[in-house]
Amino acid sequence: MVQKLLFLIFTGIFTALLSQDGYSDFYKMREKYEDFPENDQKAFPFLQPYIDKAKKEKNYEKLVQGYKDGVFFAFLSEDKLKYADSMIWAANQSRSEDLRIISHIDKGVVYYYHYKKYQLALNEYLEAYKYSKNTKNEYLKYQNLYHIGVIKSYLGYYEDASELFMKCLVYYREKARSVTKLHPNEIYNNKKGYLNSLYQTIICYRHLGKYKEADEAIQTGFSEIGNNPEYDLEKGYFLLSRGISEYRHSRFQPALKNLNEALPAIKSSRDFARLSVGYFYIGKSYSGLKKTKESVVYFKKIDSIFRKHQFMLPELRENYEILIDYSRKEKNQAQQLYYTNQLLKADSIMSKDFIYLSPKMHKDYDTNNLMDEKDKLQKINYLGTIIIIVLIVWAIGLVALLTRRHKKAKEIQQKYVLVEEKFTASQNSEKGTAEAVALPMVEEKRFSLNEDKVEELLQKLKAFEDKKEFTQKGLTIGKLAAQLGTNSNYLSQVVNEYKKVNFNKYLSELRINYITNLLFEDKKYLKYNIETLARECGIASRQNFSDLFYEINGIRPTDFVKKRREELENDGNR
């Protein structure tokens, strides 16, 4: 699906790029094969003369197109990768940044869609992103943004990924509805981009527990597609999503209906990852209906896909836990050993990409349970000794990982308590502090400042603090001095002398203390993301806000918000 979409999209782009003399000859040559379906080797007798002509003339722009067509029509994944490499070489020879973007995206798609090598795919997308900074082609920028979002989602960064997909949704929706400005093919391609971004957003919502938003997005998808057969694959993905939603609500028969309707389109697209997801929830739905034998058939299908492609999504790890338990109940020790080995292999493969998700993958199936099962199997099969060694190494690594996580969690808790104590102390001493801050005594004149003017300026600073004017965006010492009717040097001296910090530190502390107090006092702020919290206190950069929050409070804002939510939840349960 992704390959076909890219093929359609970039045909229009190449039409604009390849408009030199001789274009019509190449155009006529492409007409002979461009209507062949994806992965159809029959296109190559017509495609090869196109590539040969472009090579002979050293026409690298058209050679990129030829190699791109090779990626599209090649049947074997390894051939697709070879053509993608050749495409990058030709794009580099052309020195066209847009062609470089297209070629690296194409190679990334081959890694992602046909190999599920996400780290390698990400490398290509990031390379494309490097070139996209200077391009005027907005479509290419968002195309690459979408693929980076897919990688982020796969690695478990669902919040970040959903933000990228939302940007894509806004862009594609606007373009798809510009019926008076775009060619019908461009409108079609943008709608494809919109529907795929919407589907990826649903995946993020589901993993974030935002089920209401996911269900609403599913309905939006069906409304956009209607009965248009051009979007059958996208409809398949939305049927898959609705089937999962029905399963989650324990409506197993409707779940099976939707999931089975989704399978034909997904199968024909060769998307074995989503096919595995479909099989998994069909199996789970049969389990919900107490039809164990039917469910096991589908769980075994997932194992067949894993054996062939050596790839598994984290949410499907439970598949092997189910098969292990089933084999144990059937007293089939050989199968139990086989599925346990498969589970260990899946863990090993996933852990290479899923450092972020590794602790979660083991939440429902304890390593100790695996070790106990291995001890029993050792008495039956001589392979038990080797397997136990592997498990021990795995357990040691897991214990080390959990120990580090526990230590970090403990440090975060201690830092949170310190911030909480500081907040409580500031609340208890608020009245006394107000008087002390209002008119600080001038004990000694360390520099030539008029005492009356100092008092006046301190009064203005007090009003500036009380009115929360420090939340202004882009506030500098020059701007504040102008607002207070003084100059920068004078203001800097007063702040240094009476606030005991420089101006930047003074402003940062006001902002961070302000937002910290809001997080304590009003739980609605706990729902805001980091960018919104930063804007709320006048800080433009998310990273700058996070660094200042850590510098002043000793804890990252994400960790602080998490601890505060936990505290409120615990209070509510008492």
Side-chain angles (χ1 to χ4, degrees):
M1 179 274 298
V2 177
Q3 285 289 96
K4 188 171 184 178
L5 176 59
L6 289 174
F7 179 80
L8 292 169
I9 291 167
F10 293 134
T11 295
I13 295 173
F14 274 104
T15 300
L17 289 172
L18 310 181
S19 57
Q20 304 170 3
D21 292 338
Y23 166 78
S24 58
D25 291 338
F26 283 100
Y27 180 79
K28 290 175 182 177
M29 295 176 77
R30 289 194 76 238
E31 278 188 319
K32 296 178 181 178
Y33 66 81
E34 63 182 353
D35 290 332
F36 280 92
E38 184 180 1
N39 306 318
D40 192 340
Q41 295 283 116
K42 295 176 183 177
F44 279 90
F46 305 99
L47 169 58
Q48 193 58 50
Y50 182 101
I51 294 175
D52 293 340
K53 177 178 173 63
K55 278 184 181 178
K56 183 178 180 180
E57 297 178 5
K58 294 186 178 181
N59 191 327
Y60 295 112
E61 290 85 354
K62 294 178 178 64
L63 188 55
V64 169
Q65 175 69 77
Y67 288 137
K68 180 177 178 59
D69 292 344
V71 173
F72 185 78
F73 292 115
F75 181 79
L76 298 176
S77 298
E78 52 265 37
D79 289 339
K80 290 181 182 291
L81 193 59
K82 290 177 183 176
Y83 279 107
D85 284 328
S86 298
M87 189 178 171
I88 290 175
W89 174 84
N92 287 333
Q93 296 299 313
S94 75
R95 298 184 181 180
S96 165
E97 292 197 345
D98 280 4
L99 292 181
R100 285 170 171 166
I101 296 167
I102 293 169
S103 61
H104 282 290
I105 289 178
D106 260 31
K107 186 175 179 181
V109 169
V110 173
Y111 277 134
Y112 155 64
Y113 199 77
H114 296 280
Y115 287 93
K116 298 302 177 187
K117 301 293 185 183
Y118 283 77
Q119 292 294 344
L120 294 175
L122 180 60
N123 291 340
E124 298 301 324
Y125 298 149
L126 292 177
E127 192 69 17
Y129 179 74
K130 181 178 72 176
Y131 293 116
S132 70
K133 292 178 181 179
N134 298 320
T135 184
K136 295 180 181 179
N137 192 321
E138 288 294 312
Y139 194 98
L140 290 182
K141 287 184 179 181
Y142 281 95
Q143 189 70 26
N144 198 44
L145 201 66
Y146 166 85
H147 288 296
I148 291 175
V150 171
I151 301 295
K152 281 182 172 288
S153 175
Y154 170 78
L155 293 175
Y157 299 102
Y158 300 114
E159 284 284 4
D160 291 345
S162 63
E163 289 178 9
L164 294 179
F165 293 134
M166 288 303 296
K167 290 179 182 178
C168 292
L169 282 171
V170 171
Y171 173 80
Y172 288 131
R173 181 170 56 232
E174 180 182 343
K175 291 294 182 182
R177 293 175 180 174
S178 301
V179 294
T180 59
K181 299 178 181 178
L182 297 180
H183 187 276
N185 287 344
E186 292 180 284
I187 295 171
Y188 169 79
N189 292 332
N190 279 286
K191 188 164 184 178
K192 280 268 191 181
Y194 172 79
L195 292 171
N196 282 291
S197 299
L198 187 62
Y199 171 64
Q200 292 293 339
T201 304
I202 291 168
I203 294 174
C204 293
Y205 282 154
R206 180 157 56 86
H207 286 287
L208 290 169
K210 297 180 178 180
Y211 301 119
K212 180 181 178 182
E213 291 88 339
D215 289 342
E216 289 174 353
I218 291 168
Q219 287 305 116
T220 300
F222 283 117
S223 298
E224 289 285 342
I225 291 172
N227 295 318
N228 193 333
E230 292 182 320
Y231 304 109
D232 278 349
L233 178 56
E234 289 74 18
K235 184 177 181 179
Y237 286 129
F238 291 121
L239 284 167
L240 174 64
S241 300
R242 189 162 67 184
I244 295 171
S245 178
E246 295 285 11
Y247 166 78
R248 186 173 54 80
H249 288 100
S250 299
R251 296 192 286 261
F252 303 122
Q253 289 292 0
L256 287 170
K257 180 178 182 298
N258 282 278
L259 293 167
N260 280 304
E261 287 179 7
L263 291 187
I266 296 174
K267 280 182 182 178
S268 65
S269 72
R270 296 166 62 177
D271 187 349
F272 59 84
R274 295 302 153 193
L275 184 62
S276 294
V277 173
Y279 286 153
F280 179 70
Y281 282 100
I282 289 175
K284 294 278 282 184
S285 297
Y286 275 125
S287 293
L289 294 170
K290 309 300 181 185
K291 296 183 178 181
T292 303
K293 290 185 179 180
E294 289 89 339
S295 69
V296 169
V297 170
Y298 285 92
F299 295 138
K300 288 181 177 181
K301 286 176 181 285
I302 298 170
D303 175 57
S304 297
I305 293 174
F306 177 66
R307 285 203 315 270
K308 181 178 179 180
H309 297 285
Q310 296 295 290
F311 172 81
M312 176 170 286
L313 290 166
E315 64 181 302
L316 304 184
R317 185 182 188 275
E318 183 190 353
N319 185 72
Y320 281 119
E321 298 172 6
I322 294 170
L323 288 173
I324 290 169
D325 290 339
Y326 174 77
S327 301
R328 185 191 302 113
K329 290 175 184 176
E330 293 292 308
K331 297 182 181 180
N332 189 331
Q333 293 163 339
Q335 272 199 355
Q336 188 180 347
L337 176 61
Y338 166 75
Y339 289 128
T340 303
N341 284 332
Q342 289 294 86
L343 175 56
L344 289 170
K345 186 186 295 184
D347 280 344
S348 176
I349 293 171
M350 286 189 288
S351 65
K352 294 176 183 178
D353 285 335
F354 286 90
I355 295 173
Y356 176 75
L357 290 179
S358 289
K360 296 182 182 179
M361 287 195 294
H362 299 83
K363 180 174 64 175
D364 298 323
Y365 203 85
D366 194 288
T367 299
N368 290 328
N369 290 335
L370 279 176
M371 292 182 68
D372 291 342
E373 292 301 321
K374 285 295 185 178
D375 288 336
K376 296 174 185 177
L377 292 172
Q378 184 183 22
K379 299 175 183 178
I380 303 167
N381 197 305
Y382 73 95
L383 291 176
T385 303
I386 298 174
I387 296 170
I388 284 179
I389 293 172
V390 173
L391 280 170
I392 290 173
V393 172
W394 183 268
I396 291 171
L398 182 60
V399 169
L401 176 63
L402 294 176
T403 301
R404 287 197 297 271
R405 290 187 68 209
H406 176 73
K407 183 178 178 182
K408 183 179 178 182
K410 188 175 179 180
E411 290 174 355
I412 290 172
Q413 177 64 27
Q414 291 171 345
K415 290 174 181 178
Y416 174 79
V417 170
L418 290 175
V419 177
E420 189 174 35
E421 290 174 352
K422 183 175 76 171
F423 170 75
T424 304
S426 69
Q427 291 293 96
N428 293 336
S429 61
E430 197 173 77
K431 292 183 180 179
T433 302
E435 294 176 2
V437 172
L439 285 171
M441 298 299 293
V442 182
E443 296 180 357
E444 57 177 318
K445 197 172 183 180
R446 299 186 183 178
F447 45 81
S448 57
L449 295 177
N450 181 286
E451 291 184 9
D452 292 337
K453 289 185 176 181
V454 168
E455 269 193 29
E456 181 185 352
L457 187 52
L458 288 171
Q459 288 278 14
K460 290 180 178 180
L461 283 174
K462 177 65 167 56
F464 164 76
E465 295 172 11
D466 291 343
K467 294 178 181 178
K468 316 301 183 196
E469 293 177 355
F470 49 78
T471 60
Q472 301 174 52
K473 293 181 181 178
L475 186 63
T476 63
I477 191 170
K479 290 181 180 179
L480 182 56
Q483 292 175 22
L484 300 181
T486 184
N487 61 62
S488 300
N489 290 335
Y490 202 93
L491 177 59
S492 176
Q493 291 182 59
V494 170
V495 170
N496 287 340
E497 182 66 20
Y498 294 100
K499 302 298 181 181
K500 305 303 180 185
V501 290
N502 61 37
F503 177 77
N504 287 337
K505 182 73 171 179
Y506 165 68
L507 188 59
S508 297
E509 288 183 349
L510 286 175
R511 288 170 165 175
I512 296 302
N513 289 337
Y514 168 69
I515 201 66
T516 303
N517 288 344
L518 288 180
L519 289 169
F520 270 117
E521 294 173 344
D522 192 341
K523 61 183 180 182
K524 79 177 182 182
Y525 288 93
L526 298 174
K527 299 177 182 178
Y528 293 174
N529 59 31
I530 300 303
E531 289 85 352
T532 303
L533 292 175
R535 290 195 299 269
E536 187 71 25
C537 65
I539 299 174
S541 163
R542 170 193 172 120
Q543 187 60 50
N544 190 30
F545 171 75
S546 180
D547 291 342
L548 288 173
F549 196 99
Y550 182 80
E551 179 183 335
I552 291 169
N553 288 329
I555 184 173
R556 291 287 175 187
T558 50
D559 294 327
F560 177 85
V561 169
K562 180 181 178 182
K563 299 305 295 184
R564 182 61 179 158
R565 285 175 179 168
E566 290 175 358
E567 185 178 52
L568 292 175
E569 288 174 5
N570 292 335
D571 290 344
N573 293 331
R574 290 173 185 169

